């Protein structure tokens, strides 16, 4: 197989499978990965994919909440408001847990899987940080502010015991007293985003992951330092972090259009 054979296959996929740029880039990446493996295992003598021209894909700008949306959503969670059958209703039973989860997301940029894996012993209130294992099995510290510390303490002391007497060390529990699942967190974030939309904000297409994007843009806005954002998010490649600079630029552009002179 020569690099021309691979180019012919990608051309076929574009023409007869109607593959777009992203699909073609994925196929090319998989083929390159295969050839690297074959070369490593001495199953081939040369890597013909080195001669392929890389398919360039324009990165989609991730969505992030605007600062005023963050403020309103914080108020909604702090007051315990939720939506039931389209009607606003207070959810006092999980109010403190939901508030702590939201602040942890928005204030640390933690991943969904990392949040659900947090243990009580992961927290160091004296230093104001979580000890987590990130991608690549890397152990790291994720720092949080006093507001998050207060919310976590309030939840642990005044609400978590309601979820049943057990010896589980998971930080966030379901109402049944089990470690909260990723799906449950996704659903509760979606629920409160729907409430935010009921208050007139456009949250179409937002999810739990968008809170991580929001943290990144807020941190970049405050620090103007991509290296700090990269370290906080646990990105190994700085190119992954640069996309958040575009998010911030887009937010600033929209803010500029709101300025009226008459």
């Amino acid at each position: 197989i020569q690099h021309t054979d691979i180019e012919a296959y990608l051309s076929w996929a574009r023409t007869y499978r109607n593959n777009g740029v992203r699909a073609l880039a994925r196929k090319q990446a998989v083929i390159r990965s295969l050839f690297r493996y074959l070369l490593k295992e001495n199953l081939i003598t040369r890597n013909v994919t080195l001669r392929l021209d890389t398919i360039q894909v324009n990165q989609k700008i991730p969505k992030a909440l605007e600062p005023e949306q963050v403020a309103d959503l914080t108020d909604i969670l702090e007051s315990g408001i939720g939506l039931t059958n389209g009607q606003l209703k207070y959810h006092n039973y999980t109010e403190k847990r939901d508030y702590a989860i939201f602040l942890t997301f928005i204030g640390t940029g933690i991943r969904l899987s990392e949040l659900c894996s947090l243990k009580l012993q992961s927290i160091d209130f004296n230093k104001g940080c979580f000890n987590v294992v990130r991608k690549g099995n890397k152990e790291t510290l994720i720092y949080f502010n006093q507001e998050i510390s207060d919310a976590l303490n309030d939840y642990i002391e005044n609400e978590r015991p309601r979820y049943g007497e057990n010896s589980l060390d998971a930080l966030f529990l379901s109402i049944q007293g089990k470690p909260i699942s990723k799906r449950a967190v996704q659903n509760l974030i979606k629920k409160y985003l729907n409430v935010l939309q009921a208050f007139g904000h456009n949250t179409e297409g937002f999810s739990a992951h968008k809170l991580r994007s929001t943290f990144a843009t807020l941190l970049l806005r405050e620090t103007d330092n991509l290296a700090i954002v990269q370290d906080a998010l646990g990105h190994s490649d700085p190119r992954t972090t640069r996309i958040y600079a575009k998010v911030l630029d887009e937010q600033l552009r929209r803010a500029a259009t709101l300025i009226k002179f008459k």
Side-chain angles (χ1 to χ4, degrees), residues 100 104 108 110 118-119 122-125 128-132 140-144 148 152 171-172:
T104 300
T108 68
I110 196 169
L118 286 175
K119 309 293 184 185
S122 302
I123 312 172
D124 187 330
F125 283 108
C129 64
F130 298 114
N131 192 317
V132 300
T140 189
L141 299 179
I142 297 179
Y143 291 93
F144 52 79
I148 295 174
L152 288 169
L171 172 58
F172 295 114

Side-chain angles (χ1 to χ4, degrees), residues 5 22 41 54 101 108 126 133 140 153 163 174 179:
D5 298 305
R22 290 182 179 277
E41 297 297 322
T54 300
I101 286 176
T108 68
N126 292 324
V133 177
T140 189
N153 265 312
Y163 302 154
S174 67

Side-chain angles (χ1 to χ4, degrees), residues 41-160:
E41 297 297 322
N42 295 319
L43 296 171
I44 57 175
T45 58
R46 62 193 180 98
N47 185 353
V48 299
T49 64
L50 295 176
R51 301 189 63 183
L52 293 174
D53 292 329
T54 300
I55 298 173
Q56 299 294 334
V57 178
N58 293 325
Q59 269 189 305
K60 289 183 178 179
I61 299 179
K63 291 185 176 182
L65 293 172
E66 303 283 355
E68 64 272 15
Q69 291 177 316
V70 173
D72 286 352
L73 188 52
T74 302
D75 290 341
I76 289 169
L77 279 141
E78 195 170 18
S79 63
I81 295 176
L83 271 181
T84 302
N85 298 324
Q87 301 296 317
L88 293 177
K89 182 179 179 180
Y90 284 88
H91 287 269
N92 293 322
Y93 197 81
T94 62
E95 173 190 343
K96 299 182 188 300
R97 184 201 65 185
D98 296 353
Y99 184 56
I101 286 176
F102 169 72
L103 286 192
T104 300
F105 261 133
I106 211 77
T108 68
I110 196 169
R111 293 182 175 92
L112 175 61
S113 58
E114 294 167 349
L115 179 131
C116 293
S117 299
L118 286 175
K119 309 293 184 185
L120 289 172
Q121 58 267 33
S122 302
I123 312 172
D124 187 330
F125 283 108
N126 292 324
K127 293 183 179 179
C129 64
F130 298 114
N131 192 317
V132 300
V133 177
R134 308 207 95 156
K135 285 184 176 180
N137 206 31
K138 296 176 182 177
E139 190 171 328
T140 189
L141 299 179
I142 297 179
Y143 291 93
F144 52 79
N145 61 21
Q146 188 60 47
E147 192 174 359
I148 295 174
S149 179
D150 292 341
L152 288 169
N153 265 312
D154 190 20
Y155 156 68
I156 292 170
E157 294 177 7
N158 301 313
E159 189 175 275
R160 189 178 181 277

